[in-house]
Amino acid sequence: MTAPLTETPVTQTPAPDVRRWPFDTVLVANRGEIAVRVLRTVQKLGLKGAVVYHAADRGTAAVKMADVAIEITGATPVASYLDGAQIIAAAQRCGAGAIHPGYGFLSENKGFCQAVEAAGLRFIGPTPEQIDLMGDKVRARNFVEKAGFPVAPSAIEDDDPATFVERARAVGAPLLIKPSAGGGGKGMRIVRDLALLEQEIERGRSEGQRYFGDGRLYVERYIENPRHIEVQVLGDGQGGVVHVFERECSVQRRFQKIVEETPSPALDAALRDKICETAAGIARSIGYRNAGTVEFIFGQGGDPGAGNGAGAGYFYFLEMNTRLQVEHPVTEEITGIDLVQEQLRVAAGETLGYGQADVKSRGHSIEFRIYAEDAARGYTPTTGPVLVLHPPQGEGVRWDSGILQGGEVTSAFDPMIAKLIVRGVDRNDAIARADRALKETVLLGCKTNTAFLRRLIAHPAFVAGDVHTGFLDANPQIAAEPELPAETLQALLAAAALSTRPMRDVADAVPDLHAAIGAWRN
């Protein structure tokens, strides 16, 4: 039996009085689950929440819950959410005094931030200069290195293009080639045979130009079987900076995260303090304002550098994301801090009002990205109507989503359709809670990755916390879908057609429910 959860500590200051806000309406320049998430806190604080939407999102949860919803247009649905001028005009039209960009789209666009401020509105994020500095991986890396923080051995093309190949070769194999303006894993290439270096550099340059309109590259020493650990930071732009502990994001497919958790099972107390204080130091060095995340690559074993390890592992700066992260809920679950509320407070000109010693954590939290995709077919995105939707419920279970029953999952946007977040008294408790919640999650009409996630968390290596960024590539059997017995599908259809019991009871009656759902079509 799962032990009851203890109360989550709340360390943030009380919400400001509404009368003191310099804005009474916040426009969310985003869609899907993050728009719902931001609107929830905006309205909790007594402010009005506005949202922009493309026609493809007309019936979504964000549009229904917003106080004001303004339609925007574009050549494609994505293009409409990238039209900064149209979004600012929508904010002015509804009387919004601030714009929250969410994540993705324009959240780390320096020009949009400048345009928002030029229009007399508050940008709920960092300064344009901070976006510009940390948005360029090469500039960010150089800044961090000069400030005395650990970076991986590397070679940067911009330093001397004529000797770039020679300097890259001197770093030694294996190498990781990255676009200077990259993101989301696009254009990254691993080189283990230096005889292929020039060929892979040209391919990386071509991909960088295609994806980002910028072919500049840099290379760095590649850590075999690395872990991806990031640290949440908060800064008020007035000298106040705290870290809000780390998150482990090593379970990935195609360099994109699937599962995130906190605390990281890879860190002992000494390493946790060191990596978290390093992140806070980086944020402090730029006078950071807003919620942000400092990301690190983590290697197992001894400390090869000066001061960036503690015997059980070592880490190097990877990048800084100057926005709210997809995985921010796990941090909220163990600390009780509403990160969106803190973003709003800081944007309103307030100081944090608390120090590092005031930030406490308790328990363990894991987030699962629910994708509309077929893991067994190379994680291919799927589409379809949302005929039946029964999110999981219960103690320690949180469901963040922008989809509704009766809606439709299309190919217009990223295939992430929801996030399942669980919290337990410890990691084993959280895993058990996650398995139950994934089992109870029912979405008919569109194939999702919930059955795949159950297989993932049952793997002995995951249970032991022994994962790395190449874990799924090394264990392809996790993605493979087991054969579905015909009698299981028949049982499901009969239960769905005839039973008046809750879906959790149907799930108990049909052990292979999720495999059956994956095979079921309208």
Side-chain angles (χ1 to χ4, degrees), residues 187-206:
M188 292 170 56
R189 313 187 71 82
I190 301 170
V191 181
R192 291 186 171 85
D193 183 354
L194 292 180
L196 303 176
L197 179 60
E198 292 183 73
Q199 171 185 316
E200 294 299 312
I201 283 176
E202 287 308 312
R203 288 179 177 174
R205 181 174 289 114
S206 175

Side-chain angles (χ1 to χ4, degrees), residues 349-394:
E350 294 205 1
T351 62
L352 290 179
Y354 51 87
Q356 192 60 62
D358 301 308
V359 182
K360 310 291 185 182
S361 70
R362 187 178 301 162
H364 196 99
S365 183
I366 311 175
E367 174 180 289
F368 301 86
R369 299 192 187 193
I370 308 301
Y371 285 108
E373 67 182 18
D374 190 338
R377 291 173 173 77
Y379 307 102
T380 303
T382 61
T383 60
V386 183
L387 299 174
V388 176
L389 176 61
H390 285 280
Q393 299 178 356

